[in-house]
């Protein structure tokens, strides 16, 4: 084991290094230690022995509770502070020198004020605690598309999660030593006081400071803070894209695999689509879905002009509620062992439990650790999650480890829309597709604190995650359409359209394969459609509906085009684009106006 716990009176030098190659890292660690004053410093090597020691320590102090060893070997329950259960968008800042660069889509503070405010919180905050230094790599360790970071944290729970979610430890440190460049993430759980909680990003300095939360995207800094907010800024400068997208491979009966990247807002179906199991008839023919990633996608044009994508993550931090053998058998198979569950309920025999698990069990304890009482709310928090290695997923694609990435044939945008938006439509071209992404709307979910079910604009599912001005982000997207580019087709889906009775009209989950099939046929020029002002919709017979029954209302709403409704929607999209002023690319405004005129005429 390389890791050493340092007495803070000694210099905190990275293990295995002599001399200056890690000088910047060592200097930063020393600077943070001087500010936060931990009792000890531990450099994480990512080994099993290190993990076992940390887990034992967390079991002893109650941070982790052991689950039923027979049914869920080596699996743990963590109960977070009840006020710390989701991302906090209102406390998340992007600190750029110019406010305009952060854009109206972000909360902004000047870098000087941001550092001042955060450093005051961090001063002495690790007294009595151990400071963990976590070197990590986002993406396959040998991929040129990957990027490294170091997270410093005082939370052993964060260390255990980062070990699953990233390539963490010695190999990452070796790459950092080679490259010299890394994203700096400083995190402390602080007092877990919502009044003393901020997540700040300094994209110009490749730096993150997060204080006062131990939960998910607030604390596992490799995930949303690095791989989306900081990476989107880097991607813009370097000519690539960092997106809130799943990546899947769709294998047809002929054995061809097409890769699809899809952006849906938080808790809107990425994990489920990425792990889809085809309906019975399709399975018999040989259709298969391979999982490359379920949350984040980094894409870059290859020498052949196509976009190549990697999943920067190594694990899944997936939504528990609604996950069942019926809805997502691959997820359920993944989490049978070596899994950390956060904020779920438990059964009498100590198995994890959540609403929609649908396995005949009943909960006795809720996510807070109280006796379960249905009158007091759900047993599992609506944003309860599982953390598990991607390697445990039966559908995990070996291509996810390919350093070159996978070529993307289709990009899909989608939202949670009870009304108006049909099941699927295809954009006419790249510019139209970028507008479709920019105009995305979705009803809010429990993944962030605040009201649930409120429709808001969430362009490309990046509203909470774009590290710079959305106007510049859309320009960057448009810039990919250049000579020699072989860009994917762009589609929009809505699995969440409701009928007059308030129920979902589309069966969803495995049956979403029918929509993927149509998309790939469109890519290959093999399927029909009808053109409307909003794009191409499948006409009667274009999409295979064999084996499912849809009533008249369902057919009309899933495949119909509500002219008056879209007129109003396009007026609202125009107003939204105008909120960004002259910085919004004219090309996108022209596209919006052209469609608005089409709808009027
Ligand atoms: P984040 O991890 O927050 O980024 O979310 P995600 O996009 O991966 O969402 P996930 O796949 O975990 O789905 C969230 C919720 O939507 C779960 O409760 C699912 O059961 C539900 N869901 C997913 N796909 C479908 C679908 O096709 N139809 C319906 N009705 N619900 C779905
Ligand atoms: C999301 O909210 O989109 C998530 C969970 O994937 S978190 O890691 O908390 O951001
Ligand atoms: Mn997400």
């Amino acid at each position: 084991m390389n890791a050493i716990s340092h007495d803070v009176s000694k210099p905190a030098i990275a293990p295995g290094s002599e001399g200056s190659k890690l000088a910047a890292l060592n200097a930063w660690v020393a600077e943070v230690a001087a500010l936060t004053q931990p009792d000890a410093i531990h450099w994480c090597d990512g080994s099993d022995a290190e993990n076992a020691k940390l887990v034992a320590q967390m079991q002893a102090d109650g941070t982790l509770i052991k689950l039923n060893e027979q049914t869920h070997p080596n699996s743990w329950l963590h109960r977070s502070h009840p006020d710390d259960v989701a991302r906090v968008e209102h406390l998340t800042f992007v600190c750029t020198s110019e406010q305009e660069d952060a854009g109206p889509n972000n909360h902004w503070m000047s870098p000087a004020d941001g550092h001042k405010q955060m450093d005051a919180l961090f001063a002495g905050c690790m007294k009595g605690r151990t400071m963990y230094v976590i070197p990590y790599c986002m993406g396959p360790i040998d991929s040129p598309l990957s990027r490294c970071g170091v997270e410093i944290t005082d939370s052993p729970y964060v260390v255990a999660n980062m070990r699953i979610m990233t390539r963490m430890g010695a190999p990452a440190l070796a790459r950092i030593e080679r490259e010299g460049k890394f994203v700096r993430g400083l995190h402390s759980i602080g007092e877990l006081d919502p009044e003393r909680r901020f997540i700040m990003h300094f994209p110009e300095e490749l730096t993150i400071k997060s204080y006062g939360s131990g939960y998910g995207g607030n604390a596992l800094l490799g995930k949303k803070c690095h791989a989306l907010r900081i990476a989107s800024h880097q991607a813009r400068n370097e000519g690539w894209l960092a997106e809130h997208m799943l990546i899947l491979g769709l294998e047809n009966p002929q054995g061809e695999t097409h890769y699809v990247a899809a952006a849906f807002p938080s808790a809107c179906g990425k994990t489920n689509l990425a792990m889809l199991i085809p309906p019975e008839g399709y399975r018999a023919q040989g259709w298969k879905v391979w999982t490359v990633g379920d949350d984040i996608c980094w894409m870059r044009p290859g020498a052949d002009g196509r976009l190549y994508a990697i999943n920067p993550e190594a694990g899944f931090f997936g939504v528990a509620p609604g996950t069942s053998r019926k809805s997502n058998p691959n997820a359920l198979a993944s989490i049978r062992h070596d899994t950390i569950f956060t904020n779920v309920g438990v059964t009498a025999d100590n198995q994890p439990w959540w609403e929609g698990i649908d396995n005949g069990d009943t909960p006795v304890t809720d996510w807070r650790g109280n006796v379960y009482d249905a009158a007091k709310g759900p047993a599992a928090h609506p944003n309860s999650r599982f953390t598990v290695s991607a390697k445990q997923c039966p559908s995990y694609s070996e291509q996810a480890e390919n350093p070159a990435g996978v070529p993307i044939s289709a990009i899909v945008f989608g939202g949670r829309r009870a009304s108006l938006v049909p099941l699927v439509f295809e954009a006419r071209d790249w510019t139209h597709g970028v507008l479709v992404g920019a105009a995305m709307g979705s009803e809010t979910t429990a993944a962030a604190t605040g009201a649930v079910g409120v429709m808001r604009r969430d362009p490309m599912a990046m509203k909470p995650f774009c590290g710079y001005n959305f106007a510049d982000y859309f320009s960057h997207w448009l810039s990919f359409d250049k000579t020699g580019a072989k860009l994917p087709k762009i589609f929009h889906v809505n699995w969440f359209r409701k009928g007059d009775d308030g129920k979902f009209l589309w069966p969803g989950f495995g049956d979403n394969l029918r929509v993927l099939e149509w998309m790939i046929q469109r890519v290959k020029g093999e399927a029909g459609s009808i053109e409307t002002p909003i794009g191409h919709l499948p006409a009667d017979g274009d999409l295979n509906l064999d084996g499912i029954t849809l009533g008249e209302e369902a057919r009309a709403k899933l495949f119909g085009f509500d002219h008056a409704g879209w007129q109003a929607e396009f007026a609202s999209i125009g107003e939204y684009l105008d909120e960004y002023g002259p910085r919004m690319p004219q090309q996108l405004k022209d596209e919006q106006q052209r469609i608005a005129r089409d709808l009027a005429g």
Side-chain angles (χ1 to χ4, degrees):
M1 196 163 125
N2 286 329
I4 346 158
S5 288
H6 289 267
D7 183 316
V8 276
S9 59
K10 299 186 191 118
I13 300 298
S17 70
E18 297 282 331
S20 66
K21 283 216 184 118
L22 287 173
L25 173 57
N26 283 318
W28 175 56
V29 170
E31 189 190 303
V32 169
L35 174 67
T36 60
Q37 297 172 27
D39 279 12
I41 299 173
H42 177 94
W43 288 80
C44 297
D45 65 1
S47 66
D48 291 343
E50 175 182 80
N51 187 55
K53 217 173 136 185
L54 276 178
V55 166
Q57 177 196 317
M58 286 190 277
Q59 188 179 8
D61 71 14
T63 304
L64 293 182
I65 299 163
K66 184 142 185 60
L67 291 165
N68 187 318
E69 181 64 22
Q70 265 69 53
T71 59
H72 291 77
N74 201 26
S75 294
W76 307 89
L77 167 66
H78 172 72
R79 293 193 182 113
S80 75
H81 190 285
D83 291 329
D84 183 31
V85 294
R87 285 181 296 98
V88 283
E89 295 178 8
H90 58 297
L91 302 174
T92 299
F93 286 71
V94 168
C95 305
T96 43
S97 331
E98 301 295 326
Q99 179 164 8
E100 271 280 282
D101 291 339
N105 46 304
N106 282 302
H107 299 298
W108 176 85
M109 205 178 277
S110 73
D113 288 349
H115 283 303
K116 197 171 151 206
Q117 183 156 333
M118 295 310 280
D119 291 352
L121 292 169
F122 277 110
C125 76
M126 294 190 192
K127 275 185 195 149
R129 299 180 187 173
T130 296
M131 179 174 117
Y132 299 92
V133 183
I134 313 171
Y136 63 86
C137 179
M138 299 309 290
I141 201 90
D142 52 350
S143 170
L145 285 83
S146 300
R147 292 288 184 276
C148 289
V150 176
E151 174 166 0
I152 296 180
T153 180
D154 55 10
S155 162
Y157 165 80
V158 164
V159 177
N161 277 271
M162 284 290 285
R163 182 168 183 270
I164 298 172
M165 296 305 296
T166 72
R167 278 92 171 165
M168 177 266 252
L173 187 65
R175 181 166 169 161
I176 291 169
E177 185 159 16
R178 271 199 317 278
E179 293 182 338
K181 195 170 169 183
F182 63 96
V183 170
R184 295 160 192 232
L186 172 55
H187 169 254
S188 171
I189 54 172
E191 307 88 346
L192 292 174
D193 174 358
E195 299 297 316
R196 285 165 59 81
R197 176 176 297 160
F198 287 104
I199 325 295
M200 293 213 191
H201 304 74
F202 304 86
E204 294 151 355
E205 302 161 38
L206 305 185
T207 295
I208 304 152
K209 292 186 177 178
S210 164
Y211 187 92
S213 165
Y215 205 88
N218 300 332
L220 312 178
L221 301 187
K223 201 171 175 51
K224 300 301 166 60
C225 300
H226 176 163
L228 289 178
R229 297 194 193 93
I230 299 289
S232 61
H233 171 95
Q234 283 181 298
R236 181 193 176 205
N237 293 335
E238 299 170 8
W240 49 284
L241 293 164
E243 300 300 325
H244 191 204
M245 290 179 176
L246 68 92
I247 309 165
L248 64 80
L250 178 62
E251 184 180 331
N252 68 17
Q254 292 76 50
E256 297 167 357
T257 303
H258 287 269
Y259 292 92
V260 176
F264 309 153
S266 303
C268 289
K270 290 182 300 301
T271 303
N272 279 269
L273 191 69
M275 296 181 188
L276 182 151
I277 291 186
E280 187 52 49
Y282 279 87
R283 252 188 348 259
Q285 287 173 31
W287 288 88
K288 193 154 182 8
V289 167
W290 296 101
T291 310
V292 178
D294 83 327
D295 198 48
I296 301 179
C297 164
W298 287 356
M299 283 186 284
R300 174 193 283 277
D304 61 359
R306 298 187 72 185
L307 288 181
Y308 284 79
I310 61 161
N311 169 15
E313 299 191 283
F316 307 125
F317 183 63
V319 175
T323 307
S324 71
R325 264 190 58 180
K326 192 159 169 274
S327 65
N328 193 346
N330 277 324
L332 221 63
S334 309
I335 60 182
R336 268 162 46 185
H337 62 95
D338 293 276
T339 302
I340 300 172
F341 294 89
T342 301
N343 290 344
V344 299
V346 283
T347 63
D349 65 345
N350 219 19
Q351 295 191 52
W353 192 95
W354 48 82
E355 279 65 25
I357 192 169
D358 228 12
N359 62 358
D361 288 347
T362 45
V364 297
T365 309
D366 73 10
W367 63 276
R368 290 183 169 90
N370 297 329
V371 174
Y372 172 62
D373 175 356
K376 290 186 180 154
H381 187 276
N383 191 37
S384 55
R385 303 249 168 185
F386 51 78
T387 317
V388 69
S389 166
K391 293 197 171 125
Q392 291 183 202
C393 182
S395 58
Y396 190 51
S397 167
E398 58 181 35
Q399 286 303 312
E401 306 291 335
N402 185 342
V406 295
I408 298 298
S409 299
I411 286 177
V412 184
F413 295 120
R416 194 180 271 273
R417 295 292 291 266
S419 60
L420 183 67
V421 182
L423 181 65
V424 58
F425 61 92
E426 177 195 320
R428 272 178 292 274
D429 54 26
W430 186 258
T431 304
H432 180 211
V434 173
L435 178 68
V436 168
M440 254 169 73
S442 197
E443 289 137 23
T444 52
T445 66
T449 55
V452 167
V454 181
M455 169 30 217
R456 70 162 179 181
R457 295 278 158 218
D458 190 349
M460 296 174 178
M462 286 288 278
K463 169 71 187 67
F465 308 121
C466 185
Y468 61 103
N469 191 319
F470 260 154
D472 300 337
Y473 172 71
F474 302 145
S475 298
H476 183 52
W477 263 83
L478 291 168
S479 76
F480 284 81
D481 190 6
K482 52 183 168 223
T483 318
K486 293 199 183 69
L487 294 168
K489 267 190 183 291
I490 298 181
F491 298 86
H492 189 282
V493 300
N494 178 22
W495 314 140
F496 301 95
R497 186 74 186 262
K498 288 182 176 169
D500 292 336
D501 61 0
K503 293 198 176 128
F504 293 123
L505 291 170
W506 176 248
F509 302 102
D511 285 308
N512 293 334
L513 185 87
R514 299 166 188 279
V515 178
L516 294 176
E517 179 190 21
W518 179 72
M519 290 174 184
I520 297 307
Q521 285 174 346
R522 292 289 302 164
V523 167
K524 299 205 285 182
E526 293 170 0
S529 71
I530 43 166
E531 187 164 8
T532 73
I534 62 161
H536 299 270
L537 271 71
D540 216 8
D542 287 334
L543 203 114
N544 179 12
L545 298 174
D546 291 351
I548 52 173
T549 337
L550 295 176
E552 205 148 307
E553 186 198 14
R555 280 178 190 267
K557 290 184 171 160
L558 293 170
F559 302 107
F561 162 67
D562 168 0
H563 198 110
W566 278 104
Q567 263 184 326
E569 179 77 358
F570 263 80
S572 141
I573 293 167
E575 284 165 22
Y576 178 70
L577 299 183
D578 284 343
E579 286 172 24
Y580 290 78
R583 210 147 157 154
M584 183 57 69
Q586 191 59 39
Q587 197 184 340
L588 215 55
K589 291 200 271 191
D590 288 346
E591 184 73 10
Q592 181 274 333
Q593 280 158 19
R594 202 180 53 70
I595 298 171
R597 274 198 307 276
D598 235 27
L599 284 160

